[in-house]
Amino acid sequence: MNITYQDTLSESKKRFEDLFNLFEQQLNGKRDQPLHQFRLAAMDKFREPESPPRRTEDWKYTPVSRILQLPLLEGASFSASKSALDAVSIPEALKIVLINGELQGPIPALPEGLTILPVETAIRDERFAPWITATLEGALAGAAHPFTPLNLAFARNGLFIHAADNAAIEKPVQVIMVNGGGDPAFVNPQILVKAGRNSQLQLIESYAGEGESASFTNALNRFYLGANARVIHYKWQQEGSENFQIHQTEVRQERDSVYTAYTLDLGGRLVRNNLDAIHLGQGVHTDFYGVYIVNGEQHIDNHTFLDHALPNCTSNELYKGIITDKGTGVFNGKVIVRQDAQKTNAFQQNSTLVLSPTATMDSKPQLEIFADDVRCSHGATIGQLDESAVFYLRSRGLNKDQARALLQHAFVMEALETIPLETLKDRFEETIVQKLIKV
Amino acid sequence: MLKINDLHAAIEDKAILRGLNLEVKPGEVHAIMGPNGSGKSTLANVLAGREEYEVTKGSITFEGKDLLEMEVDERAQAGIFLAFQYPVEIPGVSTATFLKSAINAVRKGQGKEELNAVQLLKLMRERIRMVGMDEKFLQRSLNEGFSGGEKKRNEMLQMALLEPKLAVLDETDSGLDIDALKVVSDVVNQMRSPERSFVIVTHYQRLLNYITPDFVHVLYNGRIVKTGDKTLALKLEELGYDWVKEEADAIAL
């Protein structure tokens, strides 16, 4: 009999209960704070029995049982090596480092208009408390699976990032997370971003690997973009071979705002990304770009959801990947164009090169269109390298490996070519090339 | 330099070349002409090392080495260049990136020092003028959306940059207007030297108005059935291939 997601989850719920009890004991003096009451509420939600139907479909291709069977430990600390940190650092960024969820050093000096605070501090500040409370409660109420309440119960050193109205923050903010170290670490990062009206912000969320130690990162991000705000969000994941990750981002966009995501997954054993954008006003634009390079026994899974609720909004989605060895890739791109969302223009494309007979790719466009005056197109291709192109390159002196790497590199870079931060784009390219040499 | 001895080659079990002999010495320009289906392109593809073509008999040596034992990229590094009849479009790989990789791969294979970014750019700019292409092409994806003439100019650019010992032009003149044809012949003529040889595979005599070959060979039924000088090409232009076919068929009978 197959062990289903529900079976595994109910077994492991007990272990998360034990972990939570241990976690609570460490919170001396913080237990009467408002955030703690919220944690308890989240834990209650986590305890609620799962309602199986539709949800199983969403997780059909993601073997979460492998995560839930890990002997997880919460709050284990270790020191990350400089090389692990340097591997994902961008010199010009405002950097914040978290190791197994522990903040390393103070938050750097910030330019005018930018506020970054631990969530537990910000929630006691009356300027930010209402928004943070509403955001966390909204996340809990709208949780589509138990990993959301789990994050909300366990998150420590969550970050609140606020760009004030009209603030154009030039330097990118970079949050670097290194997870693992020894015993399988259970880490629940949380980033809450509020971009004010007409503000501009770039956030680089990086995950570095440290050796082969195991970890389970259960990340939760919430973005709110005020009218005409511009936010670029990079997820740069190159963890080690035993790191597991469930990563959820929900974006809510007011009128005329633009949110762009670049999701680069190179490392990790099992990675599940959920990226959702919800349009709250007209004239909104959303870009989802993603690249995944999967080898060994990696599993990389991208679920995206674009909710076109209002008229005159546009979205553009391009995911490209390469899968080899016994790797598995999943792409599920859901787009809803609701009845009111006339003049929507939505484009989606997922293309994958599958390079070995034991590699698997599941690609599923899922368009649900209820408005009649819209332009929506989607495409999914799964194929191999063009051998005539390999021959052409080899006839000019490139050896087989060089030729193949050049073509694979070109194939995925299409999804990253619009990155405006040149240094970051170069680093993405370098790390992609490094991985392609191994592939 | 190049010695082809009793070459038999097949594609998908269909025999195309049936006992071809050819010797190319340093500095010589050989034109290979012949009617459709005579095996001209097969010869070019076998020289380049395309895997679909199976050599069933015979030998090819290049500078004394067994060419058929060499990988495709080893042939390029040894100094053989094939100008493709149908250059491949490669989206996402910029022409500049491709040219740089090719130049340094060939240099490395020949034990020469690789060129740095500044030297590469200087070299590319110098040679791109030679083929009458705009520098903007360097930033474009390789051959993607190029017109037929632009693709062929790009082949000539690669030849000028890689400076091969032996260049094989596979119907480079097909489908070209007179301006592009002049570019092709200008590049070949500028590159002619006592050390460098050319094999020009062509269906038409037209290109040979601009490039004077040392030898003209007529390929028919997978064999060279007639060899002459440039006047042979003119005769073929005037009379067509029928008389050669008849002569060859008479001998075969």
Side-chain angles (χ1 to χ4, degrees):
Chain A
M1 196 189 90
N2 285 335
I3 298 171
T4 65
Y5 164 62
Q6 274 77 21
D7 293 338
T8 326
L9 192 67
S10 57
E11 274 173 38
S12 56
K13 270 191 174 171
K14 170 82 176 66
R15 287 194 289 122
F16 285 112
E17 289 280 359
D18 295 342
L19 276 179
F20 189 71
N21 289 336
L22 286 170
F23 175 52
E24 269 201 299
Q25 284 164 23
Q26 300 164 20
L27 295 171
N28 293 332
K30 290 183 178 175
R31 298 178 66 158
D32 48 355
Q33 287 176 7
L35 195 58
H36 192 62
Q37 295 310 309
F38 181 72
R39 285 191 172 117
L40 294 174
M43 209 53 205
D44 281 340
K45 175 105 178 178
F46 177 69
R47 286 187 194 102
E48 281 175 15
E50 268 285 271
S51 47
R54 195 178 56 85
R55 286 177 196 162
T56 334
E57 177 66 23
D58 268 356
W59 293 83
K60 192 164 122 185
Y61 297 106
T62 315
V64 284
S65 56
R66 297 212 329 234
I67 300 177
L68 300 173
Q69 283 157 5
L70 290 172
L72 294 170
L73 206 70
E74 202 275 336
S77 63
F78 74 104
S79 335
S81 63
K82 191 172 176 298
S83 63
L85 292 173
D86 286 351
V88 291
S89 285
I90 294 302
E92 69 262 42
L94 301 157
K95 279 186 277 290
I96 296 163
V97 177
L98 292 149
I99 297 178
N100 277 358
E102 285 303 323
L103 206 50
Q104 310 293 304
I107 285 167
L110 301 176
E112 206 186 324
L114 180 64
T115 306
I116 302 179
L117 291 169
V119 170
E120 63 176 25
T121 310
I123 205 169
R124 282 178 286 166
D125 185 320
E126 62 187 18
R127 289 172 298 167
F128 308 125
W131 184 81
I132 292 173
T133 308
T135 300
L136 292 176
E137 281 172 355
L140 187 58
H145 51 73
F147 295 105
T148 303
L150 206 56
N151 173 283
L152 293 166
F154 280 90
R156 58 163 101 201
N157 296 305
L159 293 172
F160 168 67
I161 301 176
H162 180 227
D165 290 352
N166 306 310
I169 311 300
E170 210 166 297
K171 284 187 175 178
V173 175
Q174 186 174 27
V175 180
I176 299 174
M177 284 168 275
V178 191
N179 299 327
D183 296 302
F186 176 43
V187 190
N188 290 271
Q190 200 178 76
I191 302 176
L192 309 177
V193 177
K194 187 182 183 204
R197 265 183 296 116
N198 303 313
S199 67
Q200 287 180 39
L201 180 70
Q202 296 194 70
L203 173 67
I204 308 163
E205 186 193 353
S206 306
Y207 294 90
E210 184 69 288
E212 291 185 352
S213 60
S215 70
F216 170 34
T217 302
N218 178 33
L220 183 76
N221 298 325
R222 282 291 184 277
F223 285 77
Y224 173 83
L225 277 67
N228 208 37
R230 298 272 184 283
V231 171
I232 305 177
H233 173 206
Y234 307 89
K235 183 206 173 194
W236 180 11
Q237 185 276 117
Q238 46 184 60
E239 295 197 304
S241 56
E242 292 304 318
N243 296 104
F244 294 77
Q245 188 171 96
I246 302 233
H247 187 275
Q248 312 175 55
T249 298
E250 186 186 287
V251 184
R252 303 174 76 81
Q253 295 182 254
E254 296 287 1
R255 56 169 293 185
D256 303 320
S257 63
V258 180
Y259 169 86
T260 303
Y262 295 96
T263 303
L264 175 63
D265 280 294
L266 299 175
R269 174 65 173 268
L270 185 156
V271 178
R272 163 69 182 251
N273 296 313
N274 284 346
L275 176 58
D276 303 350
I278 296 155
H279 294 173
L280 307 172
Q282 295 197 34
V284 167
H285 181 73
T286 310
D287 286 312
F288 288 168
Y289 294 106
V291 165
Y292 43 97
I293 299 174
V294 186
N295 71 338
E297 295 187 18
Q298 282 186 292
H299 174 112
I300 293 180
D301 184 330
N302 282 291
H303 272 61
T304 64
F305 174 36
L306 269 156
D307 190 347
H308 280 277
L310 287 149
N312 301 310
C313 295
T314 52
S315 64
N316 176 38
E317 190 169 5
L318 179 62
Y319 274 74
K320 298 195 89 169
I322 295 169
I323 307 183
T324 186
D325 301 335
K326 290 181 178 171
T328 309
V330 178
F331 175 80
N332 189 108
K334 184 172 172 180
V335 179
I336 291 188
V337 181
R338 296 187 191 272
Q339 206 167 358
D340 288 342
Q342 300 296 357
K343 306 284 179 195
T344 291
N345 192 339
F347 173 80
Q348 180 189 91
Q349 177 71 36
N350 172 228
S351 304
T352 308
L353 295 177
V354 176
L355 302 180
S356 90
T358 47
T360 312
M361 178 70 202
D362 295 297
S363 182
K364 184 177 164 198
Q366 193 185 343
L367 273 64
E368 296 171 22
I369 301 166
F370 301 99
D372 50 17
D373 185 12
V374 300
R375 281 181 64 192
C376 292
S377 59
H378 67 88
T381 63
I382 294 171
Q384 277 95 44
L385 269 190
D386 176 358
E387 286 304 324
S388 66
V390 175
F391 180 81
Y392 189 65
L393 296 176
R394 291 186 70 200
S395 78
R396 300 301 182 248
L398 280 73
N399 67 36
K400 207 178 216 169
D401 291 342
Q402 286 174 317
R404 296 180 73 86
L406 184 60
L407 292 172
Q408 290 166 13
H409 172 233
F411 177 79
V412 295
M413 281 309 289
E414 187 198 351
L416 303 174
E417 65 187 4
T418 53
I419 290 177
L421 271 177
E422 282 300 327
T423 45
L424 185 66
K425 190 175 168 183
D426 290 348
R427 293 299 302 283
F428 274 17
E429 246 188 301
E430 271 171 42
T431 53
I432 285 170
V433 169
Q434 278 166 16
K435 171 118 192 194
L436 286 174
I437 290 166
K438 292 182 208 153
V439 163
Chain B
M1 176 178 277
L2 180 75
K3 273 189 187 156
I4 303 176
N5 187 29
D6 193 29
L7 184 69
H8 289 66
I11 183 162
E12 288 166 357
D13 292 332
K14 188 170 179 266
I16 311 273
L17 297 181
R18 309 156 192 225
L20 186 139
N21 295 293
L22 178 68
E23 181 171 1
V24 179
K25 295 196 174 106
E28 292 177 350
V29 176
H30 291 246
I32 311 270
M33 302 182 70
N36 286 332
S38 58
K40 299 192 300 287
S41 276
T42 299
L43 175 62
N45 282 310
V46 167
L47 289 173
R50 212 182 267 281
E51 280 171 9
E52 304 92 284
Y53 294 84
E54 194 197 349
V55 174
T56 49
K57 197 180 165 196
S59 66
I60 307 177
T61 57
F62 179 68
E63 296 191 314
K65 280 178 287 184
D66 184 354
L67 187 77
L68 298 173
E69 284 299 307
M70 293 162 80
E71 291 283 339
V72 178
D73 40 297
E74 289 170 346
R75 296 180 194 201
Q77 290 167 9
I80 296 177
F81 179 88
L82 171 72
F84 282 59
Q85 187 178 0
Y86 304 109
V88 182
E89 297 195 8
I90 305 185
V93 176
S94 78
T95 303
T97 302
F98 162 72
L99 293 174
K100 289 177 196 168
S101 310
I103 292 166
N104 276 336
V106 168
R107 291 184 71 92
K108 203 175 163 194
Q110 294 176 348
K112 294 180 191 160
E113 205 177 316
E114 293 183 37
L115 299 182
N116 65 34
V118 178
Q119 293 167 318
L120 284 165
L121 190 65
K122 185 169 172 276
L123 186 66
M124 289 193 296
R125 284 189 168 153
E126 181 192 306
R127 300 287 153 89
I128 203 165
R129 271 195 292 274
M130 199 169 145
V131 300
M133 275 166 82
D134 195 298
E135 274 186 31
K136 280 185 286 191
F137 279 94
L138 293 173
Q139 300 317 318
R140 284 178 56 181
S141 284
L142 182 59
N143 290 327
E144 192 185 29
F146 287 24
S147 70
E150 286 162 353
K151 283 179 182 165
K152 298 294 174 73
R153 281 175 204 244
N154 197 10
E155 294 294 290
M156 291 300 98
L157 173 62
Q158 292 164 42
M159 182 173 79
L161 285 166
L162 298 178
E163 301 177 338
K165 293 175 187 162
L166 171 70
V168 181
L169 277 61
D170 185 10
E171 303 209 15
T172 300
D173 52 332
S174 302
L176 288 193
D177 62 25
I178 196 75
D179 291 335
L181 200 67
K182 277 183 179 158
V183 167
V184 171
S185 52
D186 280 352
V187 176
V188 171
N189 288 330
Q190 282 185 61
M191 289 183 73
R192 278 180 87 156
S193 83
E195 293 81 37
R196 183 173 290 129
S197 313
F198 292 86
V199 172
I200 296 171
V201 175
T202 179
H203 191 75
Y204 309 101
Q205 184 273 338
R206 201 172 54 144
L207 182 63
L208 306 179
N209 287 335
Y210 305 94
I211 302 170
T212 311
D214 298 305
F215 300 94
V216 174
H217 309 279
V218 180
L219 198 57
Y220 177 57
N221 274 342
R223 261 190 296 259
I224 288 174
V225 294
K226 203 158 193 68
T227 294
D229 60 11
K230 60 178 180 178
T231 55
L232 176 58
L234 293 169
K235 192 173 173 188
L236 290 168
E237 178 73 5
E238 193 188 339
L239 302 174
Y241 286 105
D242 286 348
W243 65 277
V244 190
K245 289 183 190 174
E246 279 161 24
E247 267 185 37
D249 291 340
I251 293 166
L253 285 171

